[in-house]
Amino acid sequence: MRKEVLLIIPAYNEEASIGNFLDSVLASDVTDFADIIVINDASADTTAEIVKSKQIKLISHPYNLGYGTALQSGYKYAVKYGYQYVIQIDGDGQHDVCNIKRIYQTLCQNTSGSSPDLIIGSRFLKDSQSFSISFFKKLAMSFFRKFIKITSSQIITDPTSGLQGLSYPVFSYYATFGNFDNDYPDANMIVQMSLLGFKIEEIPAVMHARTAGKSMHFGIIEPILYMFIMVFSTCNAFFRSKFHIYPAPKKLRGDINLDKK
């Protein structure tokens, strides 16, 4: 029987780390409440073979389509097969496995109907554990924190965190064409979902430095390009939400019933 949670792991050329990471997930109690799927974004190495050897569900893109598209493939799968929650986590080992259960428990807390719609694992909250980051990345994060606060009045300490938990209304909205950034879904998505009325919450996270492979923000050109793209896409999300260009989410129309799922 399917669990109520789908754990989505996007992966691109992660042969050096994904095997150990998947072993740590399988050795934990995550499989008690979550199914696992890896979205292989046309890796040129043995990432797909390693995942198959672990007997874990795998979807492989025929071409490299980008991080956002890999996540959206997972969202579409979750909608198709009726999952109630999605937790997304990187396969490079930077996100500790202990974060998964924490996010799940927060998604399901449902105290007086106050469960968050979108949970972000932050390395900058009290009780978080993290690694040192570069000056330029700190500068970028500071900029996007202020940008998010100005545009949506939302206080987010870790706007580039890919460690997230999503309720059905969120990931089903993301699964729809035009509602999700297929390249860099970071601060722009936070602004969009906040302005659309979704409840966003951060929780402390445990993160580690990458020990193998290459980050998608590696080098000099990539981080600069990312900054420009993110500024424009966040502005785009702000204006589209303010002027109601996005379609109204089902959550806000009140026509979604998770009991039927």
Side-chain angles (χ1 to χ4, degrees):
M1 291 182 64
R2 291 190 183 92
K3 311 295 196 309
E4 66 176 353
V5 180
L6 180 65
L7 180 67
I8 298 175
I9 306 172
Y12 176 64
N13 292 342
E14 295 291 358
E15 65 178 2
S17 56
I18 197 164
N20 289 336
F21 176 72
L22 292 176
D23 285 341
S24 64
V25 173
L26 294 172
S28 71
D29 59 355
V30 169
T31 53
D32 293 342
F33 59 85
D35 292 330
I36 307 168
I37 189 167
V38 175
I39 312 298
N40 171 40
D41 194 24
S43 297
D45 60 9
T46 61
T47 294
E49 288 73 16
I50 293 171
V51 175
K52 289 177 183 177
S53 73
K54 307 294 181 184
Q55 312 256 314
I56 290 174
K57 179 71 178 177
L58 174 73
I59 292 177
S60 288
H61 289 165
Y63 307 101
N64 181 243
L65 301 174
Y67 175 71
T69 301
L71 287 173
Q72 193 175 53
S73 292
Y75 303 149
K76 290 177 182 292
Y77 182 93
V79 170
K80 180 177 180 179
Y81 290 102
Y83 289 93
Q84 188 168 350
Y85 304 105
V86 155
I87 297 174
Q88 62 189 52
I89 189 168
D90 293 347
D92 57 12
Q94 286 192 285
H95 300 154
D96 195 281
V97 173
C98 71
N99 295 303
I100 300 172
K101 191 168 185 178
R102 292 180 185 177
I103 291 175
Y104 172 60
Q105 291 171 337
T106 308
L107 278 170
C108 300
Q109 64 188 13
N110 199 24
T111 54
S112 303
S114 62
S115 295
D117 301 303
L118 173 61
I119 296 171
I120 300 172
S122 171
R123 73 198 90 176
F124 302 114
L125 294 176
K126 183 182 177 183
D127 298 325
S128 297
Q129 296 179 43
S130 187
F131 53 94
S132 60
I133 60 177
S134 69
F135 169 78
F136 291 105
K137 192 163 187 179
K138 288 181 181 178
L139 192 63
M141 286 184 177
S142 177
F143 173 81
F144 286 119
R145 287 189 196 110
K146 293 176 182 177
F147 202 97
I148 291 170
K149 186 175 181 181
I150 291 170
T151 54
S152 66
S153 300
Q154 184 83 40
I155 298 175
I156 299 294
T157 64
D158 200 346
T160 65
S161 175
L163 176 64
Q164 298 185 11
L166 294 70
S167 65
Y168 180 84
V170 173
F171 71 76
S172 62
Y173 189 71
Y174 281 167
T176 304
F177 178 78
N179 290 351
F180 191 69
D181 190 320
N182 296 116
D183 294 315
Y184 300 111
D186 284 329
N188 48 354
M189 294 294 96
I190 295 172
V191 169
Q192 171 185 304
M193 302 311 277
S194 178
L195 291 175
L196 287 173
F198 290 92
K199 182 180 178 181
I200 303 173
E201 182 177 319
E202 283 189 302
I203 64 171
V206 177
M207 298 192 188
H208 309 288
R210 175 188 275 270
T211 58
K214 185 174 74 171
S215 169
M216 64 179 177
H217 301 310
F218 175 80
I220 298 175
I221 302 299
E222 287 82 357
I224 294 174
L225 181 62
Y226 166 80
M227 279 287 292
F228 278 106
I229 292 174
M230 191 52 53
V231 168
F232 284 114
S233 60
T234 305
C235 288
N236 179 56
F238 171 76
F239 287 114
R240 290 188 68 184
S241 298
K242 279 294 186 181
F243 292 102
H244 308 292
I245 297 174
Y246 288 114
K250 289 182 179 180
K251 175 180 184 292
L252 301 185
R253 294 201 302 263
D255 59 359
I256 187 168
N257 185 353
L258 291 180
D259 294 334
K260 295 180 180 179
K261 295 193 64 58

